[in-house]
């Protein structure tokens, strides 16, 4: 569910892009140094944004240095690090491990299984260091799992199928069974679909939003309430965008998606787009309450432009 909080690079100045990349390379170096070379492959620009946001807010001393990089061995890379880089590296590892768990549950990917197993012990250390954030991630995953199972059971019952958590019939088969049911019982064609309404969608997105709110709030201080609200609405936006972008793939893999049984009409897509605009608007409103100065043009580039342009092209998603 990550990889969406990125910059609109063509609009960055050369100096700004160098700073942005410096934070990214600094996080990569920290991940590899603390958790091994394989941890570097979990790197995301989402955590780079978190470093820049919290660095701008708390203004810790920055370490600017050119270092050797195994990915780019010919020339030393410009890296920016500080105490928040270490926090972001820890959160990056936790989220990567749990994202691999999610992929294993959804797709039974062998790559996800071994990745999850590889990071488990190192993630246990992070959990003991940040119990509040670790509990938020654990609770979010459990709640998401319960919600997903409830919806899958309901959708299975719609077509008279038995739900099996390890083998769920694909949407095409669901629809074909419902068509047979329609001919037998003369139910409305609309019964085939189960559109995700506002209340249901809020329920589905809430666990991930709460998790993001706890991760963004690094400290329990005066800024925490604003940061938590910012993270909450950012989490809602990311969850919905990821669901829309993954819809086609989730249909093929018979994985849970809040829009799996939704009839994607123009009206429904417009409603989703308006909902996403509201989520992003609330996120930006909280962002602007923070007393930020350092790297503010880059942060605004990400929040106002980059996040809307990032990610895969969503055929059923929001307007770009």
């Amino acid at each position: 569910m990550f990889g969406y909080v990125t910059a609109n690079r063509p609009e960055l100045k050369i100096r700004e892009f160098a700073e942005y990349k410096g934070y990214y390379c600094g996080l990569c170096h920290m991940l590899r140094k603390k958790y091994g070379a394989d941890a570097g492959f979990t790197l995301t620009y989402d955590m780079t944004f978190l470093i820049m946001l919290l660095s701008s807010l708390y203004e810790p001393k920055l370490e600017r240095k050119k270092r050797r990089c195994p990915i780019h061995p010919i020339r030393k890379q410009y890296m920016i690090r500080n105490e928040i880089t270490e926090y972001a590296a820890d959160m990056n590892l936790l989220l990567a491990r749990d994202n691999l768990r999610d992929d294993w549950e959804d797709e039974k990917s062998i790559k996800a299984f071994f990745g999850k197993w590889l990071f488990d012990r190192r993630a246990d250390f992070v959990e003991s260091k940040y119990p509040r954030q670790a509990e938020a991630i654990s609770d979010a995953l459990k709640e998401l799992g319960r919600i997903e199972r409830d919806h899958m059971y309901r959708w299975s019952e719609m077509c008279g199928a038995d739900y099996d958590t390890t083998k769920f019939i694909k949407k095409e088969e669901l629809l074909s069974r419902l068509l047979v049911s329609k001919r037998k019982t003369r139910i409305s064609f609309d019964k085939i679909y189960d559109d995700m309404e506002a209340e249901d969608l809020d329920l589905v997105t809430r666990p991930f939003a709460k998790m993001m709110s706890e991760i963004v709030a690094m400290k329990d201080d005066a800024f925490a309430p604003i940061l938590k609200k910012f993270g909450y609405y950012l989490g809602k936006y990311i969850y919905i965008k990821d669901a829309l972008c993954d819809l086609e793939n989730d249909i093929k893999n018979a994985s849970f998606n809040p829009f799996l049984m939704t009839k994607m009409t123009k009206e429904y897509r417009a409603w989703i787009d308006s909902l996403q605009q509201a989520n992003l608007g609330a996120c930006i409103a909280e962002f602007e309450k923070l007393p930020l100065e350092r790297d503010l043009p880059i942060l605004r580039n990400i929040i106002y432009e980059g996040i809307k342009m990032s990610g895969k092209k969503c055929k059923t998603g929001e307007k770009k």
Side-chain angles (χ1 to χ4, degrees):
M1 278 185 191
F2 296 94
Y4 297 103
V5 189
T6 62
N8 179 15
R9 296 187 188 186
E11 294 300 318
L12 290 176
K13 297 177 181 177
I14 295 174
R15 178 186 58 81
E16 291 172 343
F17 180 72
E19 285 286 293
Y20 184 54
K21 188 173 181 292
Y23 280 104
Y24 180 80
C25 291
L27 175 58
C28 181
H29 183 267
M30 181 67 74
L31 275 167
R32 291 173 180 274
K33 181 181 178 181
K34 284 194 70 175
Y35 299 115
D38 50 340
F41 295 107
T42 70
L43 184 65
T44 68
Y45 272 105
D46 305 76
M47 287 297 115
T48 304
F49 169 77
L50 181 62
I51 297 170
M52 297 186 74
L53 174 69
L54 296 180
S55 296
S56 182
L57 180 61
Y58 295 116
E59 298 185 336
K61 184 179 178 180
L62 300 180
E63 178 191 81
R64 301 171 182 271
K65 192 174 181 179
K66 287 191 174 183
R67 301 174 185 270
R68 291 289 180 189
C69 170
I71 307 299
H72 307 283
I74 298 176
R75 181 182 300 175
K76 288 184 178 181
Q77 299 298 306
Y78 175 58
M79 300 180 187
I80 304 174
R81 302 192 324 180
N82 57 39
E83 62 189 56
I84 296 169
T85 309
E86 185 172 357
Y87 173 77
D90 292 339
M91 293 300 104
N92 197 97
L93 186 77
L94 270 184
L95 290 168
R97 190 271 306 269
D98 292 320
N99 191 46
L100 288 166
R101 278 182 177 176
D102 186 53
D103 288 345
W104 168 248
E105 292 296 328
D106 278 355
E107 303 172 16
K108 294 294 181 279
S109 163
I110 299 299
K111 178 182 176 182
F113 174 78
F114 282 106
K116 174 184 71 69
W117 173 78
L118 191 63
F119 293 135
D120 267 339
R121 289 188 64 182
R122 282 169 277 185
D124 289 342
F125 167 76
V126 178
E127 287 177 345
S128 64
K129 188 177 178 181
Y130 299 103
R132 172 174 59 85
Q133 290 89 335
E135 184 180 6
I137 294 173
S138 177
D139 289 347
L141 290 175
K142 289 177 183 176
E143 183 63 13
L144 276 172
R146 184 191 64 78
I147 292 170
E148 290 174 5
R149 285 192 299 273
D150 288 347
H151 279 84
M152 287 300 218
Y153 273 117
R154 187 172 80 223
W155 291 335
S156 297
E157 289 174 355
M158 288 173 62
C159 63
D162 292 327
Y163 174 57
D164 183 342
T165 55
T166 61
K167 186 178 180 182
F168 184 70
I169 58 176
K170 289 184 167 39
K171 185 180 179 183
E172 290 85 349
E173 187 175 345
L174 274 172
L175 297 182
S176 66
R177 291 190 186 188
L178 283 165
L179 283 170
V180 172
S181 178
K182 176 199 169 189
R183 288 193 290 270
K184 290 181 178 178
T185 61
R186 298 181 182 179
I187 61 174
S188 167
F189 184 81
D190 290 337
K191 294 289 184 181
I192 294 175
Y193 299 97
D194 185 27
D195 290 349
M196 188 67 64
E197 301 296 339
E199 186 176 346
D200 289 332
L201 196 54
D202 178 67
L203 184 68
V204 172
T205 58
R206 198 179 302 163
F208 185 79
K210 286 182 178 179
M211 180 189 77
M212 287 295 294
S213 73
E214 295 296 333
I215 290 173
V216 172
M218 176 182 170
K219 303 177 181 179
D220 291 318
D221 58 9
F223 297 119
I226 298 174
L227 287 169
K228 286 184 177 181
K229 286 184 180 178
F230 168 80
Y232 183 84
Y233 289 110
L234 180 62
K236 278 182 168 288
Y237 182 91
I238 291 173
Y239 187 94
I240 293 174
K241 183 164 189 174
D242 182 69
L244 290 167
C245 289
D246 284 349
L247 181 57
E248 185 176 335
N249 189 53
D250 286 339
I251 290 172
K252 291 178 181 177
N253 294 322
S255 301
F256 172 80
N257 189 301
F259 306 110
L260 187 68
M261 296 296 288
T262 296
K263 187 176 183 180
M264 280 291 179
T265 61
K266 289 183 179 180
E267 293 78 11
Y268 192 85
R269 287 198 298 270
W271 175 72
I272 289 293
D273 185 58
S274 65
L275 181 63
Q276 284 292 74
Q277 290 292 338
N279 285 331
L280 190 56
C283 177
I284 289 172
E286 298 302 323
F287 170 82
E288 292 295 348
K289 293 177 184 177
L290 296 168
L292 307 175
E293 291 186 15
R294 181 190 290 172
D295 298 318
L296 185 56
I298 305 174
L299 292 169
R300 281 182 170 154
N301 171 288
I302 295 169
I303 288 296
Y304 283 91
E305 301 175 42
I307 194 173
K308 291 190 287 187
M309 302 176 66
S310 64
K312 297 159 280 186
K313 293 182 179 179
C314 308
K315 294 180 180 179
T316 56
E318 35 187 348
K319 297 174 183 175
K320 295 283 186 180

